[in-house]
Amino acid sequence: MDNKATFGRLLREARQRSLLTLESLAEASGVSVRAISDMERGKSLPRQATLGELMDALELDEADRRRLVRASARRTQQVPRQLPPDLAVFCGREDALARVGDVMSPVPGLDGHAVVSAIVGMAGIGKTTLAVHWAHQVADRFPDGQLYVNLRGFEDSEQPLDPGEALGGFLRALGVPSGDLPRGTAERSVLFREQTASRRLIVVLDNAHDEEQIRPLLPHTAGCLTIITSRNRLAGLAAGEGASLISLDVWTRQEALAALAARIGEERCRAESAAAAGLAELCGYLPLAVAVVGAQLSATPEMPLRLAARELEEARLDALSTGDRRADVRAVFSWSYRALDAETARVFRHLALHPGPAASLEAAASLVGTRPARVRRHLRALTSASLLSRDADGRYVLHDLVRAYGIELVEKERDDRLAAEIRLMDYLRHNAYTAGQYVSRYKADPPGPAAEGVVHVPVDSREEALDWYRQEESTTTAVLRVVQDPRLLRHCVDLVLEWVGYNTVVGRWTEEITAERIALDAAGALDDPIAMVRAGANLARALIETGNHDEANEPIKVMFTHMHRLSDPHRARAELNLAWLREQQRRFSEALEHGRNALMIYRGLRQPDKIGRALGFVGWSLAALGEYRESIATCEEALPILQEAGERRLEADLWSTIGYAWHGLGDLDAAVAAYEKSLRLFDEVFDDYGAAEVWDHLASAQLERGDAEQARASWTRAAELFSALRVARAAQMRAKAQAVAQPETRTAHRAER
């Protein structure tokens, strides 16, 4: 039985146990009869908000709630399998493995409580290797999968990963659509615990910085195993969460020799036992260093171990080793790097400039400025040399010590770092423009030519476009966070503005706010009034969508400060943005003024499609101010203009305004007809945001006509769409749906209009 059928059966049984009919459950929950019927028949699954309303209405106990959550939560993803690959041969750590066995042995099946264990130790000590190996060893005891994240707690070029960002990745892997993700870390943490409530999962939190970063990521659920690695002791986690602490030291001499033999062969080690022992000692018995040396020797089977030891000793002297094991591992990197051919070495250095947690092949190729097929061969060589690893999605990962060494080499070899960073930013910008044609309702200005060597990813569908965006989300975030060269300010602004459409479509408002603040600062440093006004408008929009209406006044003030510096086309665009922002703040007179300003400019420029757009803004502002007949006349003037221009989305806006105006005049049938025409057009252009607003207005008209059931269903639909976009108004729509049953509702909603 598939997930939809399972959920439908459980929902139907729960309703019948509660002695509720479809109609009575719909009335109690605010979910339409049709929607509930579709769910019970296995035709659909609910969004998280809808599921909560159903469970509350059914008054389910905790066990029944968990069953329903579990049946609905896997609607978009299979069981997550995020663990990096285990080593083919795992050596040593018998004592540590015995300790981790003791952690789990008191609670067979983990039915009593969640198990949290932290593996701590210095860089390169093998914490991640042990954690991943342990997780693979016990994976069969956790049938609901494994989650993994590198929290990047100690990278020189990066701030530690925000736990909210990590939670976003976990929730998406568990089947929660991006649009259903809450904005704040605390809210995401609550949702994560709800999603894991009935699951048996392994959660690996790798390279954590401190307890504050870790705590929001803990399932706190019986049946889950959380494994943490960190260079810090994490004593607070042991005290507060009862975590067991497992401290790792360097390998013993015997463990290091066994690991080297596993890499290069026992016979070769026995033949030159003294040299093998010397190599292990030169590595400081540090697992990462031994792995790199073993990989290099495995690739050169003809090299005598004594010669390798002599060369490694020379590299160690070059590294000015002072007995610090970090110098030992740096010497190992140096020795291994020398063995690379020139082109592979160049790929290694450029890959070190990638600031994200993992690099796609296309991003890596853009950094290098070479075709992906050619770069792939060099990446394989680096993986074989243990200078690189792969994550569960096949992307390329550098250990932070290896990354730091690679960045040193960029400076030493005088590589053109600026050119590489420009190529990466152009890759992210130009491919976002291409993908945006399938995803965003906004028509972005075509970017100028990309730098030579930038990879262009072919995109032929909306799904492919979304896949590319998801693949590069973390890279774009990291690039914007770490860019420092003032020569990249223009690229920074352009990159942010190119990602606006995607962030808006999937409701990444938190990320959009952060990015637009960066763009606004960069535009200010460039003294670019166009960029400052655009970034200010985007920032104000994101703040409004998250309910921060007053805070939006600050970027609006920036817009006003620089409006007079704009040319007519840019000023008209800014006036329309201000009209929308003021309308959202319910400052309708100001919105009308800005709309008329834009209309006057566009009439002077003789741009029919823009004239039609501006007329639409004016028409809506007039309707909001109660000037209904003038509003209808204005929209009817705009209709043929936009129809001739093929602007279906803007035409949908016009019909919505016409419906609102007829509603205000008391002609409910005309209002409903116009709203329904608007919804059909919004559906054609995949504009969920516009449709959500129309569902809200339609519900009010339906309620006044006496169709309470339809009104409740329409407000529920509006809530679902706004929730998917993470727009704060979703809560208002849900409240309206729930209030329909109250006698005073009709009067209240008429007053609202």
Side-chain angles (χ1 to χ4, degrees), residues 619-695:
W620 171 250
S621 297
L622 287 167
L625 289 167
E627 302 293 338
Y628 300 124
R629 295 199 181 279
E630 187 178 354
S631 170
I632 292 172
T634 302
C635 291
E636 288 177 344
E637 179 186 352
L639 268 174
I641 298 174
L642 294 176
Q643 287 170 342
E644 184 177 350
E647 293 284 0
R648 305 287 279 172
R649 187 184 69 79
L650 297 179
E651 184 186 349
D653 280 329
L654 289 179
W655 284 111
S656 174
T657 300
I658 291 171
Y660 189 88
W662 281 121
H663 191 176
L665 290 168
D667 191 335
L668 297 179
D669 290 339
V672 169
Y675 287 145
E676 289 176 345
K677 186 173 292 188
S678 176
L679 284 172
R680 286 194 294 272
L681 288 168
F682 276 129
D683 187 56
E684 288 179 18
V685 296
F686 303 104
D687 188 339
D688 287 348
Y689 188 98
E693 293 187 314
V694 180
W695 281 112

Side-chain angles (χ1 to χ4, degrees), residues 40-53:
E40 290 193 356
R41 288 181 292 146
K43 294 179 64 177
S44 66
L45 286 167
R47 295 180 183 272
Q48 292 304 303
T50 303
L51 177 60
E53 290 161 357

Side-chain angles (χ1 to χ4, degrees), residues 477-496:
T477 299
V479 165
L480 293 173
R481 190 164 51 226
V482 305
V483 64
Q484 295 179 340
D485 194 318
R487 294 171 292 181
L488 293 173
L489 289 174
R490 172 62 59 196
H491 288 80
C492 176
V493 170
D494 291 343
L495 179 58
V496 171

Side-chain angles (χ1 to χ4, degrees), residues 376-388:
R376 183 185 281 111
R377 294 194 295 270
H378 300 297
L379 294 173
R380 286 174 181 164
L382 292 169
T383 303
S384 297
S386 288
L387 291 172
L388 199 60

Side-chain angles (χ1 to χ4, degrees), residues 48-295:
Q48 292 304 303
T50 303
L51 177 60
E53 290 161 357
L54 289 169
M55 293 191 297
D56 289 344
L58 290 166
E59 299 181 350
L60 300 181
D61 62 26
E62 202 59 31
D64 285 336
R65 292 178 75 95
R66 287 181 179 179
R67 277 193 287 272
L68 275 176
V69 168
R70 186 167 184 170
S72 69
R74 301 183 196 175
R75 59 189 181 276
T76 61
Q77 293 278 345
Q78 296 195 0
V79 173
R81 305 289 185 192
Q82 294 188 337
L83 286 180
D86 196 7
L87 290 180
V89 179
F90 182 87
C91 297
R93 301 301 189 199
E94 285 82 3
D95 291 345
L97 286 172
R99 288 198 297 262
V100 300
D102 291 342
V103 168
M104 296 178 63
S105 58
V107 280
L110 300 179
D111 292 326
H113 65 284
V115 174
V116 180
S117 185
I119 302 170
V120 297
M122 66 174 288
I125 205 73
K127 302 181 295 296
T128 300
T129 301
L130 176 60
V132 170
H133 180 69
W134 177 15
H136 277 288
Q137 290 294 104
V138 298
D140 59 343
R141 298 174 63 178
F142 300 89
D144 295 319
Q146 316 99 34
L147 298 170
Y148 170 90
V149 65
N150 179 358
L151 294 174
R152 311 190 74 182
F154 299 92
E155 299 207 11
D156 294 338
S157 62
E158 279 269 19
Q159 292 293 318
L161 184 68
D162 183 83
E165 189 175 338
L167 284 166
F170 281 173
L171 289 167
R172 282 189 289 269
L174 291 171
V176 179
S178 294
D180 283 354
L181 298 181
R183 177 186 176 190
T185 296
E187 293 80 5
R188 289 185 177 191
S189 184
V190 170
L191 180 57
F192 176 60
R193 288 170 186 170
E194 290 176 359
Q195 288 290 313
T196 57
S198 60
R199 301 185 192 227
R200 295 166 63 85
L201 287 163
I202 298 175
V203 180
V204 179
L205 307 177
D206 195 14
N207 199 16
H209 185 264
D210 54 24
E211 293 89 344
E212 185 177 351
Q213 186 188 30
I214 293 167
R215 285 191 174 106
L217 304 172
L218 297 176
H220 286 190
T221 300
C224 287
L225 167 65
T226 304
I227 308 173
I228 303 157
T229 74
S230 180
R231 297 180 199 175
N232 287 332
R233 181 72 181 165
L234 303 180
L237 202 66
E241 278 69 32
S244 61
L245 299 183
I246 300 169
S247 297
L248 294 188
D249 201 348
V250 295
W251 271 333
T252 64
R253 179 176 181 275
Q254 291 74 23
E255 286 177 324
L257 281 171
L260 184 62
R263 289 269 187 174
I264 68 174
E266 292 185 9
E267 184 176 339
R268 192 174 177 189
C269 283
R270 280 197 301 269
E272 294 186 79
S273 57
L279 283 167
E281 184 176 358
L282 286 168
C283 290
Y285 305 129
L286 195 67
L288 177 61
V290 173
V292 173
V293 166

